[in-house]
Amino acid sequence: MKAVITVTGKDTVGIIAEVAGLCAKSGANILDITQTVLDEYFAMIMLVNIEKLNVGFAEFSAELATLGKSRGLDIHAMHEDIFRTMHHI
Amino acid sequence: MLNTQDILETIQMIREENLDIRTITMGISLFDCVSDDENRLCEKIYDKITTRAERLVQVGNDIEIKYGIPIVNKRVSVTPVSLIGGNCSPEGYIKIAQTLQRAADTLGINFIGGFSALVQKGMTVGADRMISVIPEALAQTRNVCSSVNLASTKAGINMDALSRMGATIKKTAYLTREQNSIGCAKLVVFANVPEDNPFMAGAFCGIGEPETAINVGVSGPGVVASAIHRAGDCNLSTLADIIKKTAFKITRVGQLVASDASKELGVPFGIVDLSLAPTPAVGDSVAYILEEMGLESCGAHGTTAALAMLNDAVKKGGVMASSHVGGLSGAFIPVSEDAGMIAAAERGALTLEKLEAMTAVCSVGLDMIAIPGDTSEAIINGIIADELSIGVVNTKTTAVRLIPAYGKQAGDKVDFGGLLGSAPVMPVNPYSPERFISRGGRIPAPIHSLKN
């Protein structure tokens, strides 16, 4: 089972480190990352394997959102199927 | 492989354009609850609903978190109560409504639909008794919804039953006058009612439905309006394509949620309702779509054409996205629940007559329209007869959900709160159809050849 984590907001030092740290702590294995910075606007998409998550997905997703809030970022974790279903036939 | 553009588009639809799943509605058959004892009947109804839908809210919340998409309502629809109430006394029917409310409270759901009767051709004793207590049942409950099917293309219009609805609606308005006549927001009358509709107030679990079924209604007017906005000055062929593609994406999410809910609950998947259901939130409006298409205001000449195209494109896009489609399927135009409709009505651009014309080309009918509290019963019946005849002749569903707001005049405003929004009280043609309506009988079913 895979989830997509999206992080958007103003670029600051250490965003990837903190999000990756939280993934490691929760047992989410990072499979792929794409990241761009446009005019100080930071956008990262991370594909993670959540099969060995050591917390519930709800808790993991809430922790990411809290981390986002504390750094002024918008962080969401969503199951990959919503993107596949919507954009692939 | 997922691409960045697609991921960001989905996020934008949900976070900025109000894409949501309006409702997961679980249909539950109550036929096996039938009993000759009112108390035993209520007990069995309560037990069945609370057992079958025990995990509905939890599963809905889990799916919401899993996919990061809001699921606004979790609802239950049951077998039309008039079909299982049998020989209950009128008080017994009120007791059933209270039982439905008690079950809704236990489950924590938003609405429960099915205080309903199907009387398109004639009325049974049970339907008669149930209809006679609709006002009291709605006044004594909060989340119970009621509907009456008065007409069908096959049966015509039952004018004897229809002529009772004006009084029923007005009494409901009076009994709930302390809450702006909100009881009327939970009462709808139909022609050609669908049996698997997940939307309120008209949801019930029809007689051809299985024991239980999951039906899902999607929303997303904001997503369509934004897509049209981005398209700029393209022609209408291109615009129809854009709407189709957007509707496809919206409906796919509905299908995903429906399949997941069905699997988690162990309940068969019924249908996805291909709907554009607005909310009072700014940006989540069907009227804004029509205005984005190029109308100065919703209600202007051209509105019916724009809506017809929108409705058709939504269906064409949605049909391919879902394995089973049903319910009301189309763009909704409830006045109080749509910020753009409210604004159009307030500026005088949108009238009751224009709304009636619009309902000929879209789902569902004259919906959530506040009219003066002193509107006569005959005039309300006349409005219903007009609207239902559009459905009967055009072989489509039409419905009427009017709120004759007690003590209010044209130009006033009534506020219902939440998804039900607020409605400007619209003026009504004061000339009386009383003699026509009081003739009673049935308007015969229309002929289906010689189409013109």
Side-chain angles (χ1 to χ4, degrees), chain A residues 76 78-79 85-88, chain B residues 6 10 66-67 252-253:
Chain A
H76 303 288
M78 295 150 78
H79 194 283
T85 326
M86 198 184 250
H87 300 283
H88 296 186
Chain B
D6 291 346
T10 303
K66 181 176 175 188
Y67 295 118
R252 288 284 276 184
V253 181

Side-chain angles (χ1 to χ4, degrees), chain A residues 1 4 6 8 32 34 43 45 47 57-59 61 74 76-89, chain B residues 1-11 13-15 19 65-69 248-250 252-253 255-256 320:
Chain A
M1 234 175 29
V4 173
T6 55
T8 49
D32 200 356
T34 64
I45 295 171
L47 187 68
F57 186 69
E59 197 181 319
S61 158
D74 211 11
H76 303 288
M78 295 150 78
H79 194 283
E80 63 163 348
D81 279 355
I82 188 165
F83 305 103
R84 289 198 190 286
T85 326
M86 198 184 250
H87 300 283
H88 296 186
I89 296 178
Chain B
M1 184 50 206
L2 296 168
N3 86 44
T4 311
Q5 197 81 38
D6 291 346
I7 290 173
L8 293 176
E9 185 187 345
T10 303
I11 304 273
M13 282 180 176
I14 297 171
R15 305 295 155 198
L19 173 62
I65 289 164
K66 181 176 175 188
Y67 295 118
I69 185 162
F248 175 83
K249 290 175 185 172
I250 295 172
R252 288 284 276 184
V253 181
Q255 173 74 30
L256 177 69
M320 194 177 153

Side-chain angles (χ1 to χ4, degrees), chain B residues 39-56:
Chain B
N39 293 326
R40 179 82 188 113
L41 171 68
C42 289
E43 205 177 298
K44 285 164 90 175
I45 290 175
Y46 178 82
D47 288 347
K48 181 152 189 194
I49 297 172
T50 51
T51 311
R52 294 300 177 107
E54 192 179 7
R55 293 176 54 241
L56 176 64

Side-chain angles (χ1 to χ4, degrees), chain B residues 278-291 297-299 332-352 355 358 367-370 403 411-427:
Chain B
T279 67
V282 172
D284 204 18
S285 151
V286 170
Y288 288 161
I289 299 179
L290 301 172
E291 288 164 9
S297 168
C298 174
F332 293 168
I333 51 170
V335 175
S336 77
E337 300 173 11
D338 186 312
M341 296 278 173
I342 295 169
E346 280 175 341
R347 72 171 77 96
L350 184 62
T351 61
L352 203 52
L355 280 161
M358 290 159 73
D367 197 14
M368 290 302 288
I369 298 170
I403 300 112
D412 292 348
K413 200 163 180 175
V414 282
D415 198 352
F416 306 112
L419 280 181
L420 298 171
S422 64
V425 178
M426 295 175 83

Side-chain angles (χ1 to χ4, degrees), chain A residues 9 11 35-43:
Chain A
D11 190 26
Q35 182 245 303
T36 52
V37 180
L38 266 180
D39 279 346
E40 297 186 352
Y41 184 77
F42 178 89

